[in-house]
Amino acid sequence: MSASTTWALVDVHYDLDTVPTLPGTPIDAYTYQTQYLLGALTINAAWTFHSRWTAEVGLPIRFLQATSGWVNGQGDPAGTGDLNDAQRIGLGEASLAVRTRLLSSKSFLIDARLGAWLPTTRSFESPFAQSVEKAERHQIFGNGTIDPMGSLAMYYLAAPWRATASGWARVPLVANDHGQVGSTLLGLNVSVDRQLHSPTLRAMVGLGSQLAFPAAWPGPRAPTDARTTLVGRIAIYWLPSDTWQWNFGVDLPWIIQSVEGTF
């Protein structure tokens, strides 16, 4: 068994181009600010029931801190009241998969993984919804459906270097109980890591890409748009013993194709 934690901060600001209700107010006088702090603690378990086959299960506990509203040039809330603020905490969706070793040689390894994301969570209302009827559901805790997923990973070993290339997919097939169908996600990742001066330390750099197809939403809200994202990645691995591994990394995404501010 193992545990991992990840944290992400999404911070978006955009200016209000015109203020028609306030004559004489300069353009760009107000900025709309949206910020999400996302956290997850995931418990993982693996069982190797054959020399080439391993069963894996993961269950995350997720946290969301959301803030949104208009601010003036001094960064103070514009209008009446403070910025909207809300918190959500709950189970994320579990993952269940089987991994198999397709090829094993002195310098090459190829692994395949096939499984599904399971709806162990519930969809949450938007923290900023004016009413239940207008509420949109956050997908941060999961789509609320059984979503098939799979991946293929290749490793090239040439001490002290290691190169990794992988492709993965998540394909929602049905709608949840709110009539929503999550985005189909496709991704590619490449990375290289190297042992540093100490045998317990390794450094890694990598690049990933992700294509998110439109998700389907019922009612007046239009479906989300497709999105293409590149992710730069760096990390340090610390391996103090055969049974412990710590890694500390940073991902930096660049959204290179999106429509209408979707992120």
Side-chain angles (χ1 to χ4, degrees):
M1 295 188 64
S2 64
S4 62
T5 182
T6 58
W7 291 88
L9 177 65
V10 179
D11 188 80
V12 179
H13 298 75
Y14 61 89
D15 293 329
L16 181 64
D17 292 332
T18 58
V19 190
T21 59
L22 300 174
T25 302
I27 292 177
D28 295 342
Y30 294 113
T31 297
Y32 192 76
Q33 170 184 309
T34 299
Q35 187 176 87
Y36 291 98
L37 176 63
L38 311 172
L41 173 64
T42 305
I43 307 301
N44 305 287
W47 174 43
T48 301
F49 56 91
H50 185 273
S51 60
R52 289 180 175 269
W53 293 86
T54 299
E56 302 173 339
V57 62
L59 182 64
I61 300 171
R62 291 186 173 172
F63 168 83
L64 161 67
Q65 171 73 44
T67 303
S68 185
W70 293 100
V71 295
N72 59 23
Q74 289 72 45
D76 300 320
T80 60
D82 296 327
L83 298 179
N84 293 306
D85 186 86
Q87 289 184 354
R88 298 285 186 267
I89 187 169
L91 287 177
E93 52 194 352
S95 62
L96 182 62
V98 174
R99 176 166 46 88
T100 183
R101 171 88 13 110
L102 298 180
L103 176 65
S104 179
S105 68
K106 184 178 180 179
S107 58
F108 256 111
L109 300 174
I110 299 179
D111 287 352
R113 186 169 179 262
L114 188 64
W117 294 96
L118 308 177
T120 49
T121 182
R122 64 184 180 90
S123 296
F124 282 76
E125 297 177 5
S126 166
F128 311 128
Q130 298 298 315
S131 67
V132 174
E133 290 74 22
K134 296 181 180 180
E136 298 170 5
R137 309 288 175 167
H138 279 287
Q139 305 301 297
I140 294 167
F141 293 87
N143 290 335
T145 55
I146 298 176
D147 296 349
M149 52 92 161
S151 65
L152 184 69
M154 296 176 288
Y155 309 90
Y156 177 68
L157 312 174
W161 294 91
R162 177 176 59 185
T164 304
S166 63
W168 57 271
R170 173 176 178 163
V171 186
L173 301 177
V174 297
N176 62 21
D177 56 354
H178 303 296
Q180 301 162 356
V181 180
S183 295
T184 293
L185 302 175
L186 303 177
L188 293 172
N189 300 289
V190 293
S191 66
V192 292
D193 61 88
R194 188 188 191 281
Q195 180 180 306
L196 300 179
H197 298 295
S198 168
T200 62
L201 290 176
R202 299 186 71 90
M204 182 272 284
V205 294
L207 180 66
S209 65
Q210 176 180 292
L211 175 60
F213 289 88
W217 302 71
R221 187 190 191 282
T224 58
D225 296 292
R227 182 178 68 255
T228 303
T229 306
L230 292 179
V231 180
R233 185 168 290 141
I234 59 173
I236 294 291
Y237 295 91
W238 178 43
L239 301 90
S241 71
D242 292 339
T243 57
W244 282 94
Q245 173 181 295
W246 299 82
N247 65 75
F248 308 88
V250 175
D251 287 355
L252 180 63
W254 297 276
I255 297 176
I256 60 175
Q257 179 182 343
S258 185
V259 181
E260 297 179 357
T262 301
F263 65 90

